[in-house]
Amino acid sequence: MKNNNCKISDAEWIVMRVLWASQAPLTTTNIIEALNTEINWSPKTIHSLISRLVKKEVLGVDKSYGQHQFYPLVVKEECVKEETVSFIKKIYEGSFYNMVVNFINDDKISQKEIGELKKILDEKS
């Protein structure tokens, strides 16, 4: 799998989550069935998203079977890292510290989570 090229839309992330969570490869029918349990998109919309992901080289396609089978070409963890860095740069001017302070000050984090973060920070130092 490739470790780059994770510039994908929110809708494409939903499709990729299905593939990352499954025993890929999956057919379009498998992907549509999996998505129908969580989101109400038409099959045509899902086909379009799959086509875009193939064009972006995020999904690979095996055409040797009756139905095309799709599989991830990118690693989920690497995409999450890339998106996180992009988010922090765009919203918090590249400062992880500013992001954490914002969440703590905005009461978006529980006391239990604060304790866990303290433990992680203590282990890092």
Side-chain angles (χ1 to χ4, degrees), residues 12-86:
E12 292 166 343
W13 267 95
I14 294 169
V15 174
M16 289 304 297
R17 279 191 207 111
V18 167
L19 284 132
W20 283 322
S22 71
Q23 295 293 331
L26 296 177
T27 64
T28 305
T29 303
N30 299 139
I31 297 168
I32 291 168
E33 288 171 357
L35 287 171
N36 278 338
T37 62
E38 69 175 89
I39 200 153
N40 189 23
W41 286 339
S42 74
K44 185 175 181 177
T45 298
I46 297 169
H47 281 276
S48 296
L49 291 168
I50 291 169
S51 293
R52 287 181 3 199
L53 289 164
V54 170
K55 270 187 187 172
K56 291 179 179 184
E57 297 181 348
V58 175
L59 278 185
V61 59
D62 183 349
K63 298 177 181 182
S64 62
Y65 299 97
Q67 277 194 317
H68 295 165
Q69 296 189 343
F70 300 92
Y71 53 92
L73 293 175
V74 293
V75 178
K76 179 182 179 183
E77 293 74 17
E78 292 298 321
C79 288
V80 169
K81 284 180 189 175
E82 187 176 314
E83 286 291 322
T84 302
V85 168
S86 174

Side-chain angles (χ1 to χ4, degrees), residues 86-101:
S86 174
F87 171 77
I88 292 171
K89 281 181 181 175
K90 179 170 48 175
I91 305 300
Y92 296 101
E93 299 173 0
S95 172
F96 178 74
Y97 171 82
N98 288 342
M99 181 189 74
V100 172
V101 168

